[in-house]
Amino acid sequence: MVIPAGAVHTTPLGYDRDSVPIGAPLPLAASAELVHRLSGCGEVVAAFEGKLGDTLLALSGVRAILDWLRLRLRLRSVRVAVRAVGPYAGLIARTGLITRPQATAPNGHRAVIGDHAGIEAHGSTAAVSLVLDPAAPPCWSTDGRAHPDLPARHYLALERRLGIRLPATAPFVPTLATRPNDLVEELRSAGWLSRLNIAAITATSWPECKDYTARRYITLAEHIAEAHQTQARLLLIGGNPGDGPCVTAEAPRRHVQVLHIDGMPADHLADLFPHCHLIVGNDTGLTHLATMAHGRDGGNPPVIGLYARHSHSKWRTGLPHHHAVATDLSDRMHQSDLCPVRDAIAPDTDVHMDAFPPAALAQVSLELLNGMGR
């Protein structure tokens, strides 16, 4: 969906982006100090230590810095090393943002970009330390269009600060390459990835407001299976139980077979998601991961995020197969560009996940599945 600028509270970008050639100066003053310091950097370090979802949506900011360096330094034949540190380094390496490891640059010639915890851990001696705070960038508007998703906010905010029209266009978020792994092969040989299979992400950092529950997901899968007159496989993806990965199957049902996958590493799940026909998830990092994981055959299953409290437009990747089902509160957060935590919205303002009856959510899911040829 293209969101008109008048449909949501926005901040004007300050220039018509489509009319500025790539690499040309913007009609806005750049941050001279930032440009000067970045120009002397021979290494960029992506340092994220916080939440998975915030990290994935902030990678567009890393992309903006690298796009700027390539535009500025290519005439000087200068190579910049790029590496990632922290718990998500392996996932970040799959985006194509990371170059081959090289000798690390001296502290005075390094740029560190990440979240608050990552900058605190790795950025104290760097020439440039950039914090990508999800609460900071506004919803930009240009050419009569709003850019509400967080990757667009991060990318355009840095483009303005750097003062040059950068090459990326929407969607600004990088995707993650996938590869075969043992989990996928085991599930395929056991028949879990055949017929109609649905992944439902039950993990959440805010269960009292953002947990759709396994029971509702099972009912949802039953509605979809009945409509298709087939038996569905439902993969219930949980968070980290603390005792390592755990895969358990429930007793078979008439319409749905249920498999619980708990505590599986995110990189294993990234390889699994493209093999599903539909993914439905709470507003959480694994749902963002499912959207960004790019299948080897180029296929991307539809992903539905369930938004009870936060803005359904801000907390999405901007990728075309990433959809939202949202409460009225979430839509008000979208329209006014508010955050229920930052702006102290009462937790009992809306009905939360009760707003999404499984039968109604099944109709949305069926429309998407039918649009994919299923």
Side-chain angles (χ1 to χ4, degrees):
M1 177 188 297
V2 174
I3 299 177
V8 57
H9 178 78
T10 64
T11 298
L13 191 61
Y15 50 95
D16 182 348
R17 197 166 188 264
D18 288 343
S19 68
V20 181
I22 294 173
L26 300 178
L28 300 173
S31 170
E33 182 67 16
L34 175 61
V35 168
H36 171 70
R37 288 179 177 270
L38 268 179
S39 296
C41 290
E43 181 184 30
V44 176
V45 179
F48 294 90
E49 304 275 347
K51 293 181 178 180
L52 172 63
D54 291 359
T55 297
L56 293 173
L57 297 179
L59 292 180
S60 63
V62 179
R63 181 182 185 181
I65 293 295
L66 298 180
D67 284 350
W68 180 86
L69 285 168
R70 293 186 185 105
L71 288 173
R72 286 292 298 253
L73 302 179
R74 64 185 177 185
L75 297 179
R76 294 165 48 190
S77 299
V78 176
R79 296 191 66 185
V80 177
V82 185
R83 62 187 177 96
V85 295
Y88 311 117
L91 285 175
I92 296 173
R94 296 193 187 198
T95 62
L97 298 174
I98 306 301
T99 58
R100 291 183 178 180
Q102 300 178 22
T104 58
N107 288 335
H109 302 287
R110 178 181 302 137
V112 180
I113 181 168
D115 52 26
H116 287 284
I119 295 300
E120 184 176 350
H122 303 281
S124 60
T125 58
V128 176
S129 296
L130 283 174
V131 175
L132 296 177
D133 185 343
C139 174
W140 303 107
S141 60
T142 181
D143 316 322
R145 176 185 177 184
H147 295 274
D149 60 88
L150 198 49
R153 295 173 186 233
H154 283 307
Y155 192 93
L156 295 175
L158 282 169
E159 180 178 83
R160 294 174 92 254
R161 290 187 66 187
L162 295 168
I164 291 179
R165 167 60 159 88
L166 299 178
T169 56
F172 295 93
V173 65
T175 55
L176 283 74
T178 56
R179 59 198 178 199
N181 71 24
D182 292 342
L183 173 64
V184 172
E185 293 308 314
E186 290 173 7
L187 293 179
R188 178 182 285 113
S189 48
W192 286 99
L193 301 182
S194 61
R195 297 189 184 179
L196 174 64
N197 65 80
I198 303 166
I201 297 168
T202 61
T204 177
S205 59
W206 199 351
E208 62 272 22
C209 293
K210 297 167 62 175
D211 183 9
Y212 195 61
T213 74
R215 176 183 57 80
R216 285 191 179 115
Y217 281 128
I218 292 171
T219 304
L220 167 67
E222 289 174 337
H223 283 295
I224 295 173
E226 289 175 4
H228 278 269
Q229 297 183 338
T230 188
Q231 188 176 63
R233 270 73 166 164
L234 177 64
L235 310 178
L236 290 173
I237 312 294
N240 297 312
D243 53 357
C246 181
V247 180
T248 56
E250 289 190 12
R253 300 166 182 261
R254 178 184 175 189
H255 296 294
V256 179
Q257 287 186 292
V258 180
L259 186 71
H260 294 263
I261 303 176
D262 296 304
M264 194 63 62
D267 58 341
H268 286 56
L269 294 174
D271 298 324
L272 169 63
F273 287 132
H275 296 277
C276 299
H277 299 130
L278 172 72
I279 300 162
V280 186
N282 301 325
D283 174 21
T284 190
L286 289 180
T287 306
H288 300 136
L289 176 67
T291 309
M292 293 170 61
H294 192 69
R296 293 166 63 88
D297 60 357
N300 296 104
V303 179
I304 302 174
L306 305 178
Y307 295 82
R309 295 269 298 160
H310 291 78
S311 166
H312 57 82
S313 62
K314 178 179 179 180
W315 291 98
R316 261 191 289 170
T317 58
L319 292 165
H321 60 285
H322 192 181
H323 309 277
V325 173
T327 63
D328 290 341
L329 174 61
S330 171
D331 198 51
R332 292 197 296 273
M333 298 300 100
H334 152 74
Q335 292 174 8
S336 301
D337 195 25
L338 296 175
C339 171
V341 178
R342 180 195 65 206
D343 300 306
I345 308 297
D348 58 351
T349 304
D350 215 335
V351 293
H352 309 313
M353 292 300 192
D354 294 335
F356 313 134
L361 185 55
Q363 289 302 312
V364 176
S365 302
L366 288 166
E367 290 176 10
L368 292 172
L369 284 169
N370 292 336
M372 295 290 290
R374 291 199 161 272

